[in-house]
Amino acid sequence: MCAREKLMPQCKALTGHLNVSIDGTFIPCCRYNMNNNKKFSIHDYTVEEYRNSNFYKTIKSNMETGWDDGCSQCKAEEERAYKPSLRERMNKDITGNKHIEYVEISISNQCNITCRMCGPKYSSKWATIENIEIPKQNFKNIIDKIDWTHVKKIKYLGGEPFVTKEFKMLIDKLATLDDVQLMLNTNCTLFPSKYIDKLKKLKKLGVALSIDGIGKVDEYIRQGTDWDTKLKVIKQWEDYQKHNSNCHIWIHTVVQAHNIHDMKNIKAFAESHDWNWSPVVINWPEEFQLHALDKEYINQIKDGDNAVFLNTISNYSEALNKKFKSTTERLDKLFDTKWQDILC
């Protein structure tokens, strides 16, 4: 048992955190795997009823002695030990005094690109392609459901936050709160100039720039992205950070089969801007996980920067490899692209 495991168990997110997902349900956190567990709609349950449910109490009980099954992603991150897990970060940011201090909200799937690892639930572009309608939630009702008295941090997820109409509602709500930090992820396709004056007034603004490759690799994974445009937006964020001490920026990467060969370039890009790099190994879709790759290919691309991820592969899956190839072929046909064109 490693030193980090000996510090287990418990997660303060279970006492001081609240997450509302895009489908209008309460979930333990953005990393929690709900599997086939019962959903708790914000329309049918109060926050208190949800947190007093047998489902929630069981998670808390499980985390007193070990890992709950839905917390597998944090468990895997801590076993890899290449960066703090979400659980570890939550335990650092939340006091655990039973008041809600940290709120995560994913309320709209409105997005302007189609990432390969995404789908209709989190991208309106994908919903249009697959002809799936994702019900819209009433953001005002959600805001009214939450006790904001002790909230000190808010994470707003998408879709793409800066294209959702709800973002303005959130900014207006933040103006009524004291000393609240705002965190969000952006695909860097546009800079939120119309919100800048209000963002400057925040105690702290944390911006994760979603970069899943450099140049053509990022364009391939994040379909609809133009790298030259993205660089201009990134430069705007860099300039904003230089002139606003309340802003913290880092690079967020979804580590997956399509970009594992480009880790060294993403890491170098982050270092060139003096930004932290936060890589997260993909959990879904399953065919994009690293153990779906051919062993021969893994040996060809393995280097000092991606070995920390590749060394964790212990169960190469031929079935997933076939699914990875078929999914890649299907998406390449859809987008008129070729994975081979972005390889080293």
Side-chain angles (χ1 to χ4, degrees):
M1 181 177 289
C2 70
R4 294 173 76 172
E5 287 178 321
K6 288 179 180 178
L7 296 176
M8 276 292 292
Q10 301 179 7
C11 178
K12 290 182 180 178
L14 293 169
T15 55
H17 171 264
L18 182 69
N19 186 303
V20 180
S21 188
I22 279 178
D23 59 1
T25 59
F26 296 116
I27 59 175
C29 76
C30 62
R31 299 285 181 83
Y32 192 84
N33 187 350
M34 288 295 290
N35 293 314
N36 295 317
N37 285 307
K38 175 183 176 180
K39 291 188 176 182
F40 292 83
S41 170
I42 59 171
H43 307 296
D44 300 327
Y45 294 86
T46 64
V47 174
E48 291 74 21
E49 287 171 339
Y50 159 64
R51 289 162 70 92
N52 286 319
S53 67
N54 288 334
F55 163 73
Y56 204 81
K57 289 180 177 179
T58 298
I59 298 174
K60 293 181 70 173
S61 176
N62 288 343
M63 290 297 286
E64 290 290 333
T65 56
W67 288 98
D68 182 84
D69 289 342
C71 301
S72 58
Q73 192 164 348
C74 276
K75 181 175 185 292
E77 287 182 355
E78 294 185 27
E79 288 173 347
R80 295 188 191 102
Y82 65 85
K83 68 163 200 166
S85 69
L86 180 61
R87 183 191 75 88
E88 290 173 315
R89 284 179 279 140
M90 288 283 192
N91 284 351
K92 181 179 179 181
D93 294 341
I94 296 174
T95 63
N97 60 9
K98 297 186 179 182
H99 295 298
I100 297 176
E101 304 170 44
Y102 188 168
V103 175
E104 283 183 295
I105 304 179
S106 303
I107 203 60
S108 173
N109 73 334
Q110 193 66 36
C111 192
N112 53 353
I113 62 175
T114 46
C115 296
R116 287 174 184 261
M117 62 285 189
C118 198
K121 183 177 180 180
Y122 298 104
S123 169
S124 55
K125 284 280 190 179
W126 269 119
T128 299
I129 290 174
E130 298 189 11
N131 195 27
I132 295 175
E133 184 177 352
I134 303 298
K136 301 295 183 182
Q137 305 301 322
N138 188 315
F139 193 37
K140 184 180 183 303
N141 287 347
I142 293 174
I143 288 177
D144 292 343
K145 280 242 179 180
I146 299 173
D147 179 1
W148 297 92
T149 307
H150 302 279
V151 174
K152 295 301 179 184
K153 180 178 288 190
I154 299 172
K155 187 172 185 179
Y156 185 71
L157 303 169
E160 165 57 32
F162 297 129
V163 302
T164 65
K165 65 179 182 180
E166 289 83 4
F167 188 73
K168 181 183 183 303
M169 297 173 64
L170 177 65
I171 288 294
D172 291 341
K173 179 62 182 179
L174 288 175
T176 69
L177 305 176
D178 295 326
D179 297 329
V180 175
Q181 303 177 26
L182 173 64
M183 298 173 60
L184 49 85
N185 287 56
T186 178
N187 59 30
C188 303
T189 57
L190 72 160
F191 187 73
S193 300
K194 63 182 178 180
Y195 296 121
I196 288 302
D197 288 341
K198 292 184 177 181
L199 293 177
K200 288 179 180 178
K201 296 177 182 180
L202 296 176
K203 175 183 179 182
K204 186 175 181 180
L205 172 65
V207 182
L209 308 180
S210 295
I211 298 178
D212 289 330
I214 301 302
K216 294 296 182 182
V217 179
D218 193 67
E219 291 178 342
Y220 178 86
I221 293 174
R222 294 180 163 268
Q223 285 293 312
T225 297
D226 175 76
W227 182 250
D228 290 336
T229 299
K230 193 162 186 170
L231 285 177
K232 292 177 183 178
V233 174
I234 291 172
K235 180 63 166 60
Q236 287 178 286
W237 278 116
E238 186 175 34
D239 291 341
Y240 178 86
Q241 184 182 38
K242 287 179 180 178
H243 296 96
N244 296 276
S245 59
N246 75 330
C247 185
H248 173 61
I249 295 175
W250 66 97
I251 303 294
H252 178 271
T253 299
V254 180
V255 181
Q256 54 191 287
H258 285 132
N259 68 0
I260 186 63
H261 66 284
D262 209 38
M263 293 299 106
K264 60 181 179 294
N265 293 324
I266 304 173
K267 181 180 178 181
F269 184 86
E271 290 175 346
S272 71
H273 290 79
D274 196 27
W275 288 333
N276 290 333
W277 179 41
S278 178
V280 176
V281 178
I282 198 167
N283 187 48
W284 181 92
E286 62 177 1
E287 65 266 35
F288 291 170
Q289 294 176 11
L290 300 182
H291 61 281
L293 291 170
D294 294 309
K295 293 179 181 179
E296 182 179 352
Y297 174 70
I298 289 175
N299 291 332
Q300 289 175 356
I301 66 168
K302 193 172 184 178
D303 58 35
D305 294 303
N306 61 23
V308 66
F309 309 108
L310 294 175
N311 286 342
T312 64
I313 300 175
S314 59
N315 57 336
Y316 165 74
S317 172
E318 184 176 352
L320 278 187
N321 181 256
K322 291 180 179 179
K323 190 175 182 180
F324 166 69
K325 290 178 179 178
S326 64
T327 300
T328 298
E329 289 174 0
R330 175 174 59 83
L331 294 180
D332 278 348
K333 183 177 181 181
L334 175 65
F335 296 124
D336 191 24
T337 54
K338 292 182 179 179
W339 183 41
Q340 291 79 3
D341 291 344
I342 65 164
L343 299 180
C344 300

